[in-house]
Structure formats: C-alpha cells, structure tokens
Amino acid sequence: MNVRAQALLWVAQRYSAMVLALCVIVHLITMIYAVRNGLSAAEILGRTRGNTAWAGFYALFVAAVAIHAPIGLRNIISETLGWRGRSLDIAVLVIGLLLVLWGLRAVWAVFG
C-alpha cells in the first residue's frame, strides 16, 4: 500500500475515533438517564420509534464503527500474523460492510 493510502487510513482512524468517543458519551448519558428515570424497554422504544434525530445519531455511530474497527483490525492482523496485501484489504472491507449492515439493521429495529 502506498504512503498516501496509509496516511488516509491513519486520518480516517483518528477522525472516526473522535466521532466514536462523542457517540459513546452521548449513548452512556442517555442510558444513565433512562435507568435513573426508571424507563422500561417499551418506554425507550416508544421514544425512539420514528425519531429521525436518534436514527441519524445511531447511523452516525454505526458509520464510525464501520470505519474505525476494520482499519484497526487490519493493522492488528498485519502486525501479528504478517498477513498483508490485497486479500487482507478485501477481508477487512467485507468486515466493514458487515458492520454497516448489522448496525443499520439495529438502527432500523429501534427506529422503524
């Protein structure tokens, strides 16, 4: 992989980490609020169903995970197993696409 591509992956990893940090904080605050106010799962779903703001937030969360995790996994696999090249890139791309699919499925379950 050329230097420019590696630099872009490095930047994507760092920016997705920043988005993830913000999303995790918002998610934890929301969970703490729900638990402290005694909200049931049905009440939480009642508040999230059809709410485009929450759907957008969790879609952003999913996108950040789908970018961040495969890049990190690619680096770990490359360093520990010595697996490099196009086949590794394709494998982590597939993992990223699966994360998007599964994540958006979860978002739809909460939103739809």
Side-chain angles (χ1 to χ4, degrees):
M1 178 173 283
N2 65 35
V3 175
R4 182 171 165 22
Q6 286 193 3
L8 288 173
L9 287 175
W10 186 88
V11 169
Q13 180 86 18
R14 281 13 177 221
Y15 280 120
S16 63
M18 288 187 276
V19 172
L20 277 172
L22 179 63
C23 288
V24 167
I25 289 168
V26 170
H27 181 71
L28 288 174
I29 289 169
T30 303
M31 286 178 21
I32 291 168
Y33 172 82
V35 169
R36 286 200 173 181
N37 288 307
L39 295 176
S40 68
E43 291 169 322
I44 293 168
L45 286 175
R47 293 180 182 200
T48 60
R49 292 239 185 260
N51 188 321
T52 56
W54 280 117
F57 168 75
Y58 282 110
L60 176 65
F61 203 157
V62 166
V65 168
I67 292 168
H68 188 82
I71 294 170
L73 188 58
R74 180 184 175 276
N75 293 332
I76 291 168
I77 290 170
S78 177
E79 291 173 10
T80 57
L81 301 178
W83 183 13
R84 291 176 176 77
R86 178 65 92 190
S87 62
L88 175 59
D89 294 340
I90 291 170
V92 296
L93 177 63
V94 168
I95 291 169
L97 292 173
L98 288 171
L99 287 171
V100 168
L101 179 68
W102 294 329
L104 291 179
R105 183 174 175 230
V107 169
W108 181 253
V110 172
F111 172 76

